[in-house]
Each structure stands twice: as structure tokens, then as C-alpha cells.
């Protein structure tokens, strides 16, 4: 069942049960109320009070009843009151001291309907005599302990109220607890606290499947996934910020070094104290040119990595011979000072391997990967490049392998991170920290992927796979 339907069913079912329980309580209360206050309420026969009314005589504005009626009232432990229009007593016989001599409107009705309230039952009769509107009230004590039943009824009403409050709290918890819990969770996320709020039943795993929380299981799972993602992103961002600061420190140092060289030579050339020979001037110019090229490379790497990250690199692919491209890159790298005392081997399985590429950027990626093996390994390291076209698998495999110092697992995992510059005893850290990240992004832009296998003192193996589109 979908989340929307399940939530709707959950709310409707709980409201149904709430209404059913409340309805049952109201019915039970009504029945018990009638039982406690009206049980055994035996009204004095109307014939008897009507006979008393008929036997009541009015003489000189005074009321009286005959001796037989008085005898019957005494025998049955009953009393008689006669009230005028204002509810004031104008005649009584055998009336207990606790019985009032004045009744307010509605009081007689209440005492008649609920005899247990005061411990006696009443019968009333209304009639006009001698142009007076009179009310006869015939009373009789209740034989059972009806005041006790009355207070029992009050206790029951109080119990009903308490039960109602408990039921409301129970259903409120069932309906509201998961929502409040998720609101608290979202509030934590908004405050940057990427963790699930504490639940009392976390310590009891068997309670995690409670119905009220299970109803929102997809939403809870989504919040849990969002929390993990935000926490991971925060950790990665903090690591990136830390790495970026370290990288900026390194780049600042790398820029200062060539700038200080250029500045030094410009000071020497502009000095009037010396008259430099032509060969010396050319030497100064070549050194400054090399430093300028290095700074240009640094700026270009910085721009290129952000273009690749934002997929804004204008890749223009055309079919080229990959063997020739890699061979040209290798020949250029062999002329580097770091390539001295290193051995190189290039082993293609065909002289011509056609690949749809952007030659400029792919050369840059291959150059960065091979240069990584050259610059970070000691003399006498053997660097092997294997290029293999697999017609059956429809892919091109490029392997760059060396038997140098290798890398630990942490370095392998972070090798393609921007700004990361691995440190080893035989390497310098004058690079930008962007070369491997640039290489990986260029390979991905050519629909390929890179795998690195390396162990300390056992060398490094870099596998690049380029899938070939099948010809239909």
C-alpha cells in the first residue's frame, strides 16, 4: 500500500475507534446514570395523592386533612406539603426537619427525577382550589442507601472523564508521536545536527516496528537516507576545505618560487652596475621563460579542473590513431629531467588503433598519468605502457605500470581527489595537486574509467578502459 493511502487509512481507522469508544462510554454512562439515580424509584400511586387532594379541605383560608388520611401518612412514614404559587409552604403534616419549606423553580422536578440525590422520593399534584394554584407534595424516605448510589454515580462520572482523557492521550500519542518525532528530526537537520533524534524504544529493537511508526516507514527511511547523505557531504566538505587550504598554501609557495626567480633576474638585468654578456642574458631569459610556463600550467590546471567538474569542457572528438598519440606523449616525457635513469617500454598489440577522441585533452590525461609514474619514483624504475584493443569485448585497454615505490591504500583512495598531493620519500610536492583529478575527468569525458592497483614497494598499475561503440 502506498504511503498516502496507508496514512489515510491509519488516521481514519484511529478516528473510527476513537468515536466508537467514546460512543460506548456515553451509552454506558447514560445507562449507569439512570440506574444509580433512578433505580427502585417507585412513585407513590397517583390514586393515593389524588385522594389526598380530594380530601383536603379549605376553611377560612386554612387547609386541613381528615384523620384517616393522617393515620395513613403516619402508618406509611410519609409526609405531606402544600405549596402556593411562589413555592412557599402553606400546610404540612409529618414533615421531617430536613425537608425545606420553600422550593425554587425546578427543584421539585430534580428531586422527583433523582430521588437518590437527597434520599427520599416525591410525588406531586397540581390543582386550583378556591382560586388558588396549589401544589401537593407527598414524600417518602427511600428504604435503600440511595445517597451512596448517588455518590457512586459522581465517582463514575469522574472516572469517565479520566478514561476519556487517557483515551485522548493514547490516540494523540499514536497519531501525533510519529509526526512530532519527524518534525524534531527535520528541525535537527535544519540546525546542522545530522543524526536521528533519540527514541526511548531504540534500546528495544523489537519495538521499532510499532504500528504508528511503521505507517511512515518510507518517510522515515527517506529521512534516514537524507541524514546519512548530509552527514557524509558535511564530512566531505570539511575534508575538501581542509585539503583546499593545504593546496592553496602549496600553490602560493609554488607561485612564489618562480616569481622570486623572475624578480631576481629582472633586478639583475635592470641594474646599471653590470654589463651582461649576450649569452648570460639568454640564459636569464630561458630561465624566466621556464618559470612563466610553469605558472601558466598552474593557472591552466586550475581552470581546467573546474571546467571538467562543471561539465563545461568543450570536447571535440575525431578519429585518431591512439598508438601514435601515446607514442608522441611518451617521447616528450622521456626528455624530462626526472626521466633520466628510468626505463620505458611501450607495447601496443596493433600498430594502428583508431579511437574517437579529443587529441588535445586525451594527450593531457595520458601525460599526467605517465608523469605520475616518472616523478614519484626513484632512478632505475621501469615504466611500462601496454595498449590493447579487444575486438571481442569491444574495448580499448591502456595500462600504465611501474615497479616503483607504490602507494598505501589511503593515497590510492584519494589519488583522484582535487587538491590532493601524495607525499613519498622520492617525490617532490611542487605539483598542483590537480593532475590526477584532471586525468580521470578527461577519461570519463571519453566514456572511459580508471582503476588503480598499488601497494607500497610493489609498484603501481593503472588500468584505463575505453568502451567502443558497437557497429550495427
Amino acid at each position: 500500500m502506498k504511503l498516502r493511502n496507508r496514512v489515510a487509512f491509519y488516521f481514519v481507522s484511529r478516528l473510527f475507534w476513537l468515536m466508537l469508544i467514546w460512543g460506548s462510554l456515553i451509552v454506558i454512562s447514560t445507562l449507569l446514570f439512570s440506574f444509580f439515580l433512578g433505580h427502585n424509584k417507585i412513585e407513590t400511586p397517583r390514586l393515593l395523592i389524588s385522594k389526598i387532594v380530594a380530601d383536603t379541605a379549605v376553611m377560612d383560608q386554612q387547609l386541613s386533612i381528615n384523620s384517616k388520611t393522617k393515620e395513613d401518612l403516619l402508618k406509611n412514614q410519609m409526609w405531606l406539603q402544600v405549596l402556593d404559587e411562589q413555592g412557599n409552604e402553606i400546610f404540612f403534616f409529618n414533615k421531617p426537619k430536613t425537608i425545606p419549606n420553600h422550593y425554587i423553580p425546578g427543584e421539585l422536578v430534580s428531586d422527583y427525577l433523582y430521588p437518590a440525590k437527597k434520599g427520599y422520593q416525591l410525588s406531586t399534584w397540581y390543582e386550583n382550589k378556591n382560586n388558588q394554584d396549589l401544589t401537593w407534595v407527598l414524600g417518602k424516605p427511600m428504604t435503600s442507601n440511595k445517597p451512596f448510589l448517588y455518590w457512586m454515580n459522581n465517582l463514575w462520572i469522574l472516572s469517565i472523564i479520566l478514561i476519556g482523557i487517557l483515551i485522548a492521550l493514547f490516540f494523540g500519542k499514536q497519531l501525533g508521536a510519529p509526526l512530532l518525532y519527524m518534525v524534531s528530526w527535520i528541525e535537527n537537520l535544519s540546525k546542522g545536527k545530522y543524526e536521528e533524534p533519540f527514541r526511548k524504544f531504540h534500546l528495544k529493537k523489537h519495538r521499532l516496528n510499532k504500528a504508528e511508526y511503521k505507517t511512515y516507514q518510507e518517510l522515515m527511511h527517506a529521512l534516514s537516507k537524507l541524514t546519512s547523505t548530509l552527514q557524509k557531504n558535511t564530512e566531505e566538505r570539511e575534508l575538501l576545505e581542509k585539503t583546499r587550504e593545504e593546496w592553496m598554501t602549496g600553490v602560493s609557495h609554488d607561485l612564489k618560487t618562480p616569481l622570486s626567480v623572475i624578480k631576481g633576474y629582472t633586478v639583475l638585468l635592470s641594474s646599471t652596475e653590470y654589463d651582461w654578456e649576450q649569452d648570460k642574458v639568454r640564459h636569464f631569459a630561458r630561465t624566466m621563460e621556464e618559470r612563466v610556463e610553469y605558472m601558466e600550467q598552474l593557472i591552466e590546471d586550475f581552470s581546467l579542473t573546474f571546467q571538467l567538474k562543471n561539465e563545461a569542457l568543450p570536447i571535440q572528438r575525431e578519429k585518431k590513431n591512439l598508438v601514435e598519440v601515446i607514442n608522441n606523449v611518451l617521447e616528450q616525457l622521456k626528455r624530462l629531467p626526472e626521466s633520466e635513469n628510468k626505463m620505458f617500454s611501450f607495447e601496443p598489440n596493433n600498430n594502428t588503433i583508431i579511437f574517437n577522441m579529443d587529441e588535445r585533452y586525451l594527450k593531457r590525461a595520458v601525460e599526467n598519468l605517465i608523469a605520475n609514474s616518472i616523478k614519484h619514483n626513484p632512478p632505475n624504475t621501469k615504466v611500462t605502457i601496454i595498449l590493447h584493443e579487444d575486438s571481442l569485448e569491444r574495448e580499448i585497454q591502456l595500462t600504465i605500470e611501474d615497479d616503483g615505490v607504490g602507494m598505501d591504500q589511503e593515497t590510492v583512495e584519494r589519488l583522484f581527489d582535487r587538491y590532493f598531493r601524495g607525499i613519498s620519500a622520492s617525490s617532490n610536492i611542487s605539483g598542483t595537486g590537480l593532475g590526477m583529478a584532471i586525468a580521470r575527468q578527461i577519461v570519463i569525458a571519453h566514456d572511459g574509467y580508471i582503476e588503480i592497483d598499488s601497494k607500497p614497494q610493489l609498484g603501481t598499475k593503472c588500468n584505463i578502459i575505453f568502451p567502443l561503440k558497437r557497429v550495427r
Side-chain angles (χ1 to χ4, degrees):
M1 188 183 296
K2 292 183 178 180
L3 177 62
R4 180 187 301 175
N5 296 335
R6 190 165 61 250
V7 171
F9 174 78
Y10 180 74
F11 271 84
V12 170
S13 63
R14 292 306 181 273
L15 289 174
F16 171 78
W17 281 111
L18 181 61
M19 293 172 63
L20 182 63
I21 293 173
W22 270 106
S24 301
L25 287 175
I26 291 172
V27 171
I28 294 172
S29 299
T30 303
L31 294 176
L32 290 177
F33 192 77
S34 300
F35 173 78
F36 285 140
L37 296 185
H39 186 61
N40 290 333
K41 181 183 69 175
I42 303 173
E43 183 183 340
T44 303
R46 295 186 64 83
L47 178 62
L48 177 60
I49 193 172
S50 61
K51 185 176 182 303
I52 292 174
V53 171
D55 292 341
T56 302
V58 181
M59 298 180 63
D60 300 328
Q61 301 296 322
Q62 298 292 324
L63 300 179
S64 63
I65 55 176
N66 57 39
S67 57
K68 180 67 171 65
T69 302
K70 292 180 179 179
E71 185 179 334
D72 290 340
L73 291 173
L74 292 172
K75 182 179 179 180
N76 290 282
Q77 298 180 347
M78 302 174 71
W79 69 87
L80 177 68
Q81 286 179 287
V82 181
L83 310 176
D84 61 13
E85 296 178 0
Q86 287 74 37
N88 297 316
E89 181 184 272
I90 58 175
F91 175 82
F92 70 89
F93 178 78
N94 198 33
K95 184 188 75 170
K97 294 181 179 180
T98 56
I99 303 302
N101 55 16
H102 173 75
Y103 294 87
I104 62 175
E107 186 175 0
L108 278 175
V109 177
S110 175
D111 292 345
Y112 171 78
L113 291 176
Y114 306 112
K117 185 168 62 174
K118 293 185 178 179
Y120 51 80
Q121 58 187 39
L122 302 177
S123 297
T124 60
W125 188 274
Y126 175 81
E127 189 170 301
N128 185 286
K129 277 200 173 188
N130 290 348
N131 298 320
Q132 294 185 44
D133 292 328
L134 304 177
T135 301
W136 282 257
V137 179
L138 184 64
K140 180 180 180 182
M142 297 184 68
T143 56
S144 60
N145 193 11
K146 292 305 179 179
F148 170 76
L149 294 180
Y150 172 75
W151 289 110
M152 284 294 295
N153 180 74
N154 290 339
L155 291 176
W156 170 251
I157 293 174
L158 181 61
S159 300
I160 290 296
I161 295 173
L162 292 176
I163 292 171
I165 293 173
L166 292 175
I167 291 173
L169 291 174
F170 173 75
F171 280 97
K173 181 179 179 297
Q174 280 204 324
L175 295 174
L179 297 177
L180 292 175
Y181 180 76
M182 287 184 286
V183 167
S184 175
W185 197 342
I186 294 171
E187 186 177 0
N188 282 350
L189 295 180
S190 68
K191 294 178 179 178
K193 188 178 179 182
Y194 304 126
E195 60 183 27
E196 183 176 355
F198 177 75
R199 253 192 288 180
K200 290 183 179 180
F201 55 86
H202 269 177
L203 301 178
K204 300 180 180 180
K205 298 296 183 182
H206 65 279
R207 297 183 66 188
L208 289 175
N209 292 326
K210 291 185 71 173
E212 59 264 34
Y213 287 89
K214 196 173 182 181
T215 302
Y216 303 93
Q217 58 185 355
E218 288 94 342
L219 187 55
M220 300 280 281
H221 177 71
L223 280 173
S224 179
K225 188 175 180 181
L226 176 62
T227 302
S228 299
T229 302
L230 290 174
Q231 187 175 13
K232 183 179 179 182
N233 290 344
T234 301
E235 292 173 355
E236 290 178 351
R237 185 175 66 253
E238 290 174 353
L239 178 61
L240 180 62
E241 289 297 328
K242 181 180 178 182
T243 308
R244 180 161 24 203
E245 289 178 7
E246 295 174 354
W247 177 82
M248 289 296 292
T249 302
V251 169
S252 298
H253 178 270
D254 293 344
L255 283 172
K256 285 179 181 179
T257 301
L259 281 173
S260 62
V261 172
I262 294 171
K263 183 178 180 180
Y265 282 136
T266 56
V267 170
L268 289 175
L269 290 173
S270 63
S271 175
T272 58
E273 297 180 8
Y274 302 97
D275 188 11
W276 302 104
E277 296 178 1
Q278 192 68 23
D279 291 340
K280 204 66 174 178
V281 172
R282 288 194 180 96
H283 172 72
F284 291 165
R286 281 196 300 271
T287 304
M288 288 190 292
E289 183 182 8
E290 290 173 359
R291 298 302 184 269
V292 170
E293 287 178 354
Y294 172 76
M295 289 191 295
E296 287 178 343
Q297 184 68 42
L298 190 66
I299 295 170
E300 184 180 347
D301 283 355
F302 189 73
S303 174
L304 182 58
T305 186
F306 277 96
Q307 282 183 301
L308 289 166
K309 179 180 179 294
N310 297 317
E311 299 181 355
L313 190 67
I315 296 289
Q316 297 178 354
R317 300 172 68 168
E318 56 181 327
K319 294 182 179 179
K320 295 280 185 175
N321 184 2
L322 188 56
V323 177
E324 184 178 338
V325 171
I326 295 175
N327 190 58
N328 291 338
V329 171
L330 185 57
E331 290 301 319
Q332 291 177 4
L333 293 174
K334 285 180 181 180
R335 294 193 286 270
L336 292 174
E338 296 92 336
S339 297
E340 294 181 6
N341 301 320
K342 289 187 174 68
M343 297 170 286
F344 297 91
S345 174
F346 179 38
E347 303 171 6
N349 70 332
N350 290 315
N351 292 328
T352 303
I353 297 178
I354 303 300
F355 181 56
N356 193 23
M357 70 179 103
D358 187 310
E359 182 178 357
R360 174 190 171 192
Y361 290 116
L362 191 61
K363 283 178 67 175
R364 178 68 177 278
V366 174
E367 179 180 322
N368 288 352
L369 293 169
I370 298 175
N372 201 56
S373 293
I374 295 172
K375 294 179 180 180
H376 299 284
N377 284 309
N380 300 320
T381 298
K382 183 179 180 181
V383 181
T384 303
I385 298 98
I386 301 172
L387 183 62
H388 181 77
E389 181 181 21
D390 192 332
S391 301
L392 295 177
E393 295 294 333
R394 296 295 301 167
E395 65 182 20
I396 295 174
Q397 301 175 11
L398 173 62
T399 303
I400 302 170
E401 186 175 4
D402 65 67
D403 57 358
V405 295
M407 296 177 286
D408 57 27
Q409 188 60 34
E410 181 184 358
T411 303
V412 171
E413 291 176 356
R414 297 187 59 194
L415 188 61
F416 295 111
D417 290 352
R418 288 191 301 151
Y419 317 123
F420 177 72
R421 300 192 288 184
I423 299 176
S424 66
S426 62
S427 68
N428 63 74
I429 56 170
S430 62
T432 64
L434 300 173
M436 297 303 289
I438 289 173
R440 179 174 178 270
Q441 290 295 330
I442 290 174
V443 170
I444 292 174
H446 284 80
D447 306 318
Y449 60 92
I450 300 179
E451 295 176 344
I452 300 291
D453 183 17
S454 182
K455 289 182 174 57
Q457 308 308 320
L458 295 178
T460 301
K461 184 177 182 180
C462 176
N463 287 321
I464 304 106
I465 308 297
F466 293 110
L468 297 175
K469 293 183 179 179
R470 296 185 179 275
V471 180
R472 296 184 179 179

